[in-house]
Amino acid sequence: MSEAIIQEQVKRSYEHGWETDIASESAPPGLSEETVRFISAKKEEPDWLLEWRLSAFRRWQKMTEPTWAAVEYPPIDYQAVSYWSAPKDPSEGPQSLDEVDPKLLETFEKLGIPLHERAALAGVAVDAVFDSVSVVTTFRETLAEAGVIFCSFSEAVKEHPELVRKYLGSVVPPHDNFYAALNSAVFSDGSFVFVPRGVRCPMELSTYFRINARNTGQFERTLIIVEEAAYVSYLEGCTAPMRDENQLHAAVVELIALDDGEIKYSTVQNWYPGDENGKGGIYNFVTKRGLCKGARSRISWTQVETGSAITWKYPSCVLMGDDSVGEFYSVAVTNNLQQADTGTKMHHIGARTRSTVVSKGISAGRSTQSYRGEIRVDPGASQARNFTQCDSLLLGDACAAHTFPNIASRNATATLEHEATTSKVSEDQLFYCRQRGMSEEDAVNLIVNGFCKDVFRHLPMEFAVEAQKLLAVSLEGAVG
Amino acid sequence: MLNIVDLRARVGETEILHGIDLQIQPGEVHAIMGPNGSGKSTLGKVLAGLEDFEVTGGQISYQGEDLLDLSIEERAQKGIFLGFQYPIEIPGVSNDYFLKTALNAQRKARGEEEVGTADFLRQLKEAMALLEMDKRYRKRFVNVGFSGGEKKRNEILQLLMLKPDFAVLDETDSGLDIDALQVVAKGVNALRGAGRAFLLITHYERLLRYIEPDHVHVLVEGRIVRSGGKDLADELESSGYTEYGEEAR
């Protein structure tokens, strides 16, 4: 972790300290039972949740950081991190777009983000953002009519404790892994979605609309439940680069689908990747898992990962219900000195369960990227089927791409297919496109977008367009 | 339109073009014929600006500009088109999207507005009808899984859509059966005139039965050894290139 950021955290925290009143912004650095209690108290949580956090914390203390991923970074001092930082007061943020970093605005411009959204994304005080409040209100009313619950995690704990208590940790148990345990102990906030039986959520849910989600920060917790024959499409993140002062991110996302339920979860992750020399940037250590609990349920992960200095992320599906379906479609782009170790795990438990994995990795600059996948078929998963395709595209000759597929089948009737390719953007392709009048940069974008086609077509329309533009921005200067 | 003076080019240490002189006027169709390895394709690629070939001497002026100062895409934007001998595959990119992107890149460079979707589709349908291409080719990925003949037809489709001022067609006839050859010729003939010039690079006289050239040049071992009218092609068909072998040395 960058020394400067630690120093900054330390400095800021000490300004306030433990003894300051309730208005204090940050907890002092360090992690102890006291910290966990502090966070829980700040959030006015019920006892059961505090106990849940404390038990996660005790487990975490006995765990060690995983080192199997193909990423390198200096050791993280978990005692130097501050684990609580209240959402910033909007009045302290920029008051107008004139006060926002021009480089950030330039990126918004390239991404074609509408002017009023740019302000919101840049963290301009809410009252300077036209219409956002009314948008959120209309949106909430429509959802309430349909019976869909969509709120912050903290609200859900207060208003729907029985649901939270029933499902929290049921897919990613607190002791699942080092980062999940850490998150369980200190998670700040996140999103909660509940779609009752038979309801198709009338709109795509996006964290972007939930303005208060903007500063939920470091240890986000998301829980999405769809009941029998219900459906939701959830979009995570926005396509603007989030400049975040927190370097370490360890989120947990849990999805649960009951009989015939379906969840489509799309992510476009564009956190700060660090500069061209690898300085700064977010460490993104995320645990995302979906449980296809009911028969014929379906969970689909679609992700476009272009940001973060280090990505450690494996959105997975546990296919428990008979005939349930898991899907993973991923585009990961790394440039400069970024490192990404990402992939998925499909765990076939129920009979006739099916899974599809399509992973497209694009490496440029001096970046390193790994696909890590596991397909596991249990004895009861007769006639399970998996198709995996993972393709790597290299730009230039200083980057690297690796593939670590793991396949373990304990049922002889299962059918598993794995295809993998590695290719380069060829000089011939570039010459061909340029001969037709395209600039070299446009040609690379065209070729790369073609390479990602199989994944982009699974993104909601508007996201797909933004993802294409985002790719262009991420790969700027990758050739020539 | 195009004036090539004493053009010399090499790849690595090997000089391939040993001093080419060629003038092409607007509206003219020239054919360059010659045996394999004579430098025909090299000439096409040098005109298009491929950096693999180093121009070591001579000049090329195109529409009054020094062509050698321009990048590949600038040449394309100024109306130079190269029909590839081996068209390139671009997986995941549909034919229509590719064409539209190329067309708009050229229009933008010329300070023109982007082509409207309806207008573009109308033009595309017309061009595909002329080339007897099934409409499913619109959504097929550029040249992916196309047969040799389909790829060549697709090159002509691009030619029709981009409407260049000067087109170099590199061995467009190779790998085509007579029916396909006629269709390709139809495409080229549809664009003839209107000040548009063509340079046909070919090994055989066959293509020239369908696209009648104004001038024929024989290229052997990096030099134009003979120039003439259409009759020269017929003559080559019966006598072959062997007699030029000695002369070229």
Side-chain angles (χ1 to χ4, degrees), chain A residues 193-442:
Chain A
V193 178
F194 177 81
V195 189
R197 178 192 292 246
V199 172
R200 272 188 81 83
C201 184
M203 62 184 68
E204 267 152 3
L205 300 184
S206 154
T207 41
Y208 167 63
F209 281 111
R210 249 199 44 237
I211 301 286
N212 63 350
R214 196 168 55 221
N215 282 318
T216 48
Q218 243 170 329
F219 301 101
E220 202 169 330
R221 188 100 199 175
T222 301
L223 180 55
I224 300 179
I225 303 134
V226 301
E227 286 196 329
E228 292 84 354
Y231 166 84
V232 70
S233 168
Y234 185 88
L235 317 180
E236 176 195 46
C238 55
T239 55
M242 288 190 214
R243 296 291 174 96
D244 199 313
E245 70 271 26
N246 299 314
Q247 194 167 24
L248 174 65
H249 279 249
V252 170
V253 177
E254 295 179 279
L255 312 183
I256 297 133
L258 305 186
D259 288 0
D260 299 292
E262 179 174 356
I263 302 174
K264 247 180 94 78
Y265 192 105
S266 312
T267 307
V268 173
Q269 187 268 110
N270 187 25
W271 275 330
Y272 185 53
D275 67 10
E276 56 270 37
N277 300 313
K279 205 165 157 29
I282 303 288
Y283 295 179
N284 194 22
F285 302 136
V286 188
T287 306
K288 289 184 165 178
R289 192 174 304 148
L291 173 62
C292 284
K293 196 169 182 183
R296 297 168 305 280
S297 56
R298 194 179 190 111
I299 288 179
S300 162
W301 299 99
T302 306
Q303 61 170 20
V304 177
E305 300 279 319
T306 66
S308 297
I310 297 176
T311 302
W312 182 97
K313 182 180 168 185
Y314 317 91
S316 306
C317 295
V318 179
L319 304 169
M320 194 187 256
D322 290 347
D323 301 286
S324 60
V325 178
E327 294 169 319
F328 174 76
Y329 303 101
S330 167
V331 166
V333 184
T334 51
N335 198 357
N336 299 321
L337 283 169
Q338 279 177 275
Q339 306 174 60
D341 195 296
T342 184
T344 186
K345 186 160 153 183
M346 293 290 172
H347 187 178
H348 294 255
I349 300 172
R352 297 171 306 278
T353 45
R354 284 174 286 147
S355 62
T356 304
V357 174
V358 178
S359 162
K360 304 276 181 174
I362 299 148
S363 324
R366 287 177 286 158
S367 66
T368 315
Q369 197 173 121
S370 306
Y371 168 81
R372 193 178 298 277
E374 183 176 325
I375 308 299
R376 200 201 297 176
V377 179
D378 283 5
S382 53
Q383 292 163 55
R385 288 211 318 258
N386 163 264
F387 172 75
T388 298
Q389 184 182 339
C390 52
D391 300 325
S392 306
L393 186 69
L394 307 177
L395 274 77
D397 48 18
C399 54
H402 311 281
T403 305
F404 303 99
N406 252 307
I407 300 170
S409 178
R410 289 192 288 154
N411 186 307
T413 62
T415 312
L416 309 171
E417 284 177 76
H418 182 96
E419 288 178 11
T421 65
T422 300
S423 54
K424 291 186 86 163
V425 171
S426 77
E427 290 299 321
D428 285 348
Q429 285 175 324
L430 288 176
F431 176 47
Y432 193 60
C433 293
R434 291 174 69 195
Q435 207 302 304
R436 297 304 185 245
M438 296 172 216
S439 68
E440 190 164 13
E441 212 154 73
D442 287 347

Side-chain angles (χ1 to χ4, degrees), chain B residues 43-239:
Chain B
L43 178 60
K45 284 171 181 160
V46 168
L47 287 173
L50 186 61
E51 292 97 344
D52 295 4
F53 298 95
E54 190 192 344
V55 174
T56 50
Q59 285 119 39
I60 309 175
S61 80
Y62 169 74
Q63 294 178 337
E65 267 186 277
D66 185 350
L67 191 68
L68 297 174
D69 279 350
L70 303 178
S71 68
I72 298 167
E73 55 268 37
E74 284 168 335
R75 296 180 197 203
Q77 289 154 4
K78 287 177 189 293
I80 292 184
F81 178 92
L82 175 65
F84 280 55
Q85 183 177 3
Y86 303 107
I88 308 298
E89 299 183 1
I90 309 179
V93 178
S94 66
N95 235 351
D96 57 356
Y97 185 74
F98 179 78
L99 274 168
K100 201 172 172 190
T101 306
L103 190 59
N104 282 334
Q106 295 201 10
R107 291 175 74 110
K108 197 174 149 198
R110 292 193 292 258
E112 298 166 19
E113 269 188 33
E114 290 201 347
V115 63
T117 303
D119 195 25
F120 171 78
L121 273 178
R122 186 184 48 76
Q123 290 182 42
L124 184 60
K125 279 181 186 166
E126 280 174 17
M128 290 179 77
L130 184 73
L131 297 175
E132 296 168 29
M133 285 174 85
D134 191 283
K135 67 173 188 294
R136 71 197 161 89
Y137 284 95
R138 258 165 53 190
K139 289 292 165 200
R140 291 269 306 261
F141 298 152
V142 180
N143 294 323
V144 177
F146 286 26
S147 71
E150 287 169 335
K151 284 183 181 173
K152 295 297 173 70
R153 217 179 272 221
N154 207 29
E155 290 293 286
I156 302 304
L157 178 66
Q158 295 180 16
L159 174 78
L160 286 176
M161 291 301 290
L162 297 171
K163 300 186 179 62
D165 296 332
F166 173 55
V168 181
L169 302 183
D170 190 4
E171 305 264 0
T172 298
D173 50 340
S174 68
L176 290 185
D177 59 31
I178 291 295
D179 289 347
L181 192 62
Q182 281 175 333
V183 171
V184 162
K186 199 158 75 175
V188 173
N189 287 327
L191 278 186
R192 272 183 92 155
R196 205 167 266 134
F198 287 88
L199 181 62
L200 311 175
I201 293 172
T202 182
H203 189 67
Y204 303 105
E205 165 269 356
R206 222 166 52 125
L207 176 71
L208 307 180
R209 277 184 233 156
Y210 302 98
I211 309 171
E212 202 170 302
D214 302 304
H215 302 274
V216 174
H217 311 276
V218 182
L219 184 69
V220 177
E221 298 197 356
R223 288 189 181 87
I224 289 179
V225 294
R226 204 174 151 193
S227 294
K230 189 193 175 302
D231 301 343
L232 181 53
D234 298 331
E235 191 184 310
L236 285 169
E237 182 68 3
S238 48
S239 61

